Amino acid sequence: MSPETIETPSTGGDVEKNPVHRTDKDVAVLGSDEELLASLGYKQELKRNFAMSEVFGISFSIIGLLASIASTLSFSIPGGPASMVWGWFLAGGCIFVVGLALADLSSAMPTSGGLYWWTHHLAPPKLKNPLSFLVGYSNTLGLVAGICSVDYGFALQFTSVIVMAKDGNWSPTRGELYAVFLGCVLLHGCLATVGARIMGKLQNVFVAINLILVVGTIIALPIGTGAAKLNDAKYIFVTTENLTTWPTGWAFMLAWLSPIWTISCFDSCVHMSEEAANATKAVPYGILMATSSTWILGFAVLIAIAACINHDLAAVVGTSLGQPMAQIYLDALGKSGAIGFMSLLILCQFLMGLSIVVACSRQSWAFSRDGALPFSSFFRVISVKFGFRLPFRAIWGVVGLAGALGLLCLIAAAASNALFSLLIIGNNVAYIIPVFCRAMWGDKNFVPGAFYTGRASKPIAWFAVVFLIFGVLLAMFPDGGPSPTPQNMNYAIIVSFPVWAGALAYYYIDAYKWFTGPKTTIDAQSTPTEVDGLHNAGYDTLAVELQSVSPPSTAPAKTVADDAAHIHGIVEALARDDKEVLVVMSSHGGIPGTQAVKNLTKKNDRSKAREEKE
């Protein structure tokens, strides 16, 4: 009796070398990160040097808790202390639910392309290509805007220390702010290049520095203010104000922009999937640890700030230092203490920008790998620099784009603030679409990974969609009031809408001819070698066609679940004929193939065969 080999091919027929491990149950399993990545259609090109703590670290350092809170106090303070504190708590809880929705998806399909790959896999056939295209561009916009807003925040914080040191006798021009911003972006590009080898290890250092700043601020602000001058609980948790011309209730909602912006870019964990060890667990737990820890710690930080803040909130927001957090430190700790804490805060902001450059470059590289970005053939190249494989061209591509988008700094403060809104809008749209596809159409194509929320998965997804849509709408409002002037207009829509419209127009005018979604990068030349090798070793081979990628017909479209059932039936039938079956899976065949062989063992199937004969 010769053994039988079943090959489950990808849409292109590409097969990765050694994609299967045999077990004592004769079940084919995807036993490593590389094999799981192969089942998604990609060969391993980057080194997996990020442990779970380091995956969490890159997301936590990108969030940059206190530095981000400092950058967005101008959104939360106008609503008063209660809006600042409770707005954070409520929005943070909602964001954690969004994190749960993304954790489900990231565990099931851990690839650097993440959001647009999930969209293509889960959306119906007629929508998967355009929606995937749109998500990729929106995610790129959001991450590049993240680089801009973080590094612009760095420029404001850096110059505020100079103003403080000169006792207010100097103030930066728009050009000087842009020069600091651009220098920061370029330095991040250099460090992301030369430090690639140790970037994973550095994340633990970044986390430690952020935690030192957070804990130090929570302790130092109340001590420096003094017990007699601390604001009481009623002021902290109940008092609202309104420094805008919006109704007070809406001023409370605008305070949500601070946590929505701060606890963002946690999808950076997803973009590091192909550099993470044990990605099916490291990525989702990285997301959840980052969102939960910043939610709780941020709540504590804002209580401390509200307890110490000057009651003249307009003076704090409009401080000559150009940075409300600098004024809060100065009021509580004096000049020397304020400069010391602001210096540490500036360091955290800088590290935050470095981490987001790394994450953005990986997403852009993955999108180029699938041929979607302009000049993709140029940007998808993996280079060996300083003895390490990294997407060198993608790193400098996003650095250049961030430098160009940052020219908004030269226009006015309102135009600069649009960078913060762009991060929210771009990323939220990129989150909404795959999560919606999972909730709406995912029952047939979604195969849970190592982390899964079970029956709560779909309700979580629907809640996340509603909240993310709310966040997009909120980020489009001018924060000053309903009658904006050119000086306080929210310019985010002027940048984001052309990107969305341009992406869809590009797709329907030209890209639809060649963009068919994520491309397999597995070496097609390995196919004859592997199959021939198995055949020469005495295995009978049988290729199983995936029904979901068969030519369209009048019959209902087939899904991954149909593929799994089809493969299951063939394997079960062969096993009942007393044949040992080795299932070889690759690329898109990996997901249905893995599902098909669950609970199939030689022992069980032979028992069923004996029962039928009796």
Side-chain angles (χ1 to χ4, degrees):
M1 178 189 69
S2 64
E4 188 86 16
T5 298
I6 292 181
E7 174 199 349
T8 61
S10 69
T11 54
D14 302 333
V15 178
E16 176 65 291
K17 293 182 178 180
N18 302 320
V20 178
H21 283 221
R22 293 292 302 272
T23 73
D24 60 351
K25 293 186 177 180
D26 291 340
V27 176
V29 296
L30 297 171
S32 70
D33 290 307
E34 290 77 9
E35 291 166 356
L36 177 55
L37 185 62
S39 77
L40 301 177
Y42 300 120
K43 63 183 179 182
Q44 187 70 47
E45 296 186 71
L46 300 172
K47 185 176 180 180
R48 291 188 180 270
N49 63 329
F50 279 74
M52 183 184 295
S53 63
E54 294 159 356
V55 174
F56 154 71
I58 196 165
S59 185
F60 188 82
S61 60
I62 285 176
I63 290 172
L65 183 59
L66 191 52
S68 293
I69 289 174
S71 296
T72 55
L73 281 175
S74 59
F75 294 115
S76 57
I77 290 178
S83 299
M84 183 168 58
V85 171
W86 291 118
W88 179 279
F89 185 79
L90 294 173
C94 295
I95 294 166
F96 178 73
V97 176
V98 175
L100 285 170
L102 294 188
D104 270 348
L105 293 169
S106 66
S107 182
M109 297 165 279
T111 171
S112 294
L115 304 169
Y116 72 85
W117 201 101
W118 305 339
T119 300
H120 191 271
H121 181 69
L122 297 171
K126 291 184 179 180
L127 296 177
K128 59 175 53 187
N129 287 345
L131 286 182
S132 176
F133 202 73
L134 176 63
V135 168
Y137 272 91
S138 190
N139 195 202
T140 302
L141 170 68
L143 289 170
V144 172
I147 297 172
C148 292
S149 55
V150 168
D151 287 357
Y152 177 67
F154 171 87
L156 290 176
Q157 293 163 8
F158 183 83
T159 54
S160 73
V161 170
I162 299 176
V163 174
M164 197 184 306
K166 291 181 174 291
D167 297 319
N169 295 320
W170 175 81
S171 60
T173 64
R174 305 303 305 174
E176 289 167 336
L177 283 172
Y178 180 74
V180 175
F181 160 84
L182 185 60
C184 183
V185 172
L186 293 174
L187 186 54
H188 282 151
C190 293
L191 293 176
T193 301
V194 301
R197 181 182 295 275
I198 59 172
M199 193 58 63
K201 302 300 181 185
L202 285 176
Q203 299 311 313
N204 292 327
V205 178
F206 296 174
V207 170
I209 294 173
N210 273 279
L211 289 175
I212 290 170
L213 179 61
V214 168
V215 174
T217 297
I218 292 173
I219 294 173
L221 280 182
I223 292 176
T225 301
K229 295 182 180 180
L230 289 177
N231 299 318
D232 60 21
K234 181 179 179 181
Y235 182 79
I236 296 170
F237 296 108
V238 179
T239 302
T240 60
E241 293 195 26
N242 189 357
L243 303 184
T244 75
T245 56
W246 291 106
T248 300
W250 193 244
F252 175 86
M253 298 311 302
L254 287 172
W256 289 36
L257 285 172
S258 176
I260 290 174
W261 185 85
T262 298
I263 315 177
S264 62
C265 289
F266 48 85
D267 63 305
S268 56
C269 293
V270 176
H271 304 311
M272 305 308 295
S273 292
E274 295 177 36
E275 295 172 74
N278 196 11
T280 58
K281 291 184 178 179
V283 175
Y285 284 115
I287 291 172
L288 297 180
M289 288 190 294
T291 52
S292 60
S293 60
T294 50
W295 173 28
I296 302 303
L297 288 174
F299 186 56
V301 166
L302 285 165
I303 290 174
I305 291 174
C308 303
I309 198 168
N310 188 323
H311 284 214
D312 188 354
L313 299 181
V316 175
V317 173
T319 176
S320 61
L321 299 177
Q323 226 296 327
M325 194 68 211
Q327 186 64 51
I328 293 169
Y329 278 134
L330 182 63
D331 292 340
L333 306 174
K335 181 178 177 180
S336 297
I339 291 177
F341 268 89
M342 282 300 297
S343 297
L344 186 56
L345 188 143
I346 289 168
L347 175 60
C348 288
Q349 187 85 4
F350 181 82
L351 299 178
M352 178 181 169
L354 174 58
S355 293
I356 197 171
V357 166
V358 172
C360 183
S361 67
R362 272 46 172 187
Q363 190 278 338
S364 301
W365 166 75
F367 206 33
S368 296
R369 178 177 59 183
D370 291 322
L373 286 178
F375 312 108
S376 285
S377 60
F378 177 81
F379 287 115
R380 75 158 314 279
V381 172
I382 293 293
S383 307
V384 178
K385 300 291 182 182
F386 306 100
F388 198 80
R389 292 174 59 81
L390 75 159
F392 175 82
R393 296 177 182 180
I395 290 173
W396 286 97
V398 300
V399 164
L401 186 56
L405 186 58
L407 289 170
L408 286 170
C409 299
L410 295 173
I411 300 175
S416 303
N417 287 341
L419 297 173
F420 293 87
S421 296
L422 274 174
L423 168 64
I424 296 172
I425 294 169
N427 274 350
N428 276 23
V429 169
Y431 296 168
I432 288 168
I433 296 175
V435 175
F436 175 81
C437 290
R438 187 271 172 272
M440 191 72 179
W441 302 297
D443 286 344
K444 295 182 178 179
N445 285 353
F446 177 72
V447 180
F451 174 89
Y452 182 47
T453 53
R455 293 183 179 179
S457 181
K458 287 190 72 172
I460 285 171
W462 282 118
F463 180 91
V465 167
V466 172
F467 175 74
L468 289 166
I469 291 173
F470 168 73
V472 170
L473 297 176
L474 188 67
M476 291 183 179
F477 277 79
D479 55 9
S483 301
T485 65
Q487 287 70 41
N488 60 19
M489 170 67 181
N490 187 338
Y491 290 88
I493 189 64
I494 296 176
V495 179
S496 57
F497 182 77
V499 171
W500 296 331
L504 288 176
Y506 179 33
Y507 175 80
Y508 282 109
I509 292 173
D510 181 61
Y512 77 93
K513 301 173 186 175
W514 46 264
F515 181 75
T516 57
K519 297 179 179 179
T520 180
T521 61
I522 295 174
D523 186 6
Q525 298 302 316
S526 66
T527 302
T529 303
E530 285 300 309
V531 175
D532 289 346
L534 290 168
H535 183 75
N536 293 336
Y539 286 81
D540 294 329
T541 59
L542 172 65
V544 178
E545 182 178 10
L546 298 184
Q547 297 183 343
S548 62
V549 295
S550 298
S553 64
T554 56
K558 300 294 185 180
T559 68
V560 171
D562 296 312
D563 292 333
H566 181 52
I567 298 167
H568 179 95
I570 294 173
V571 174
E572 188 175 42
L574 290 168
R576 288 182 180 181
D577 287 339
D578 206 29
K579 292 183 177 181
E580 294 183 352
V581 182
L582 171 66
V583 182
V584 180
M585 297 171 281
S586 73
S587 191
H588 299 289
I591 294 175
T594 304
Q595 284 296 102
V597 297
K598 283 185 176 180
N599 301 319
L600 282 180
T601 68
K602 180 167 60 178
K603 180 179 178 181
N604 289 344
D605 290 317
R606 287 178 179 172
S607 296
K608 290 181 181 179
R610 283 196 299 269
E611 290 174 4
E612 290 179 358
K613 289 178 181 179
E614 293 174 356

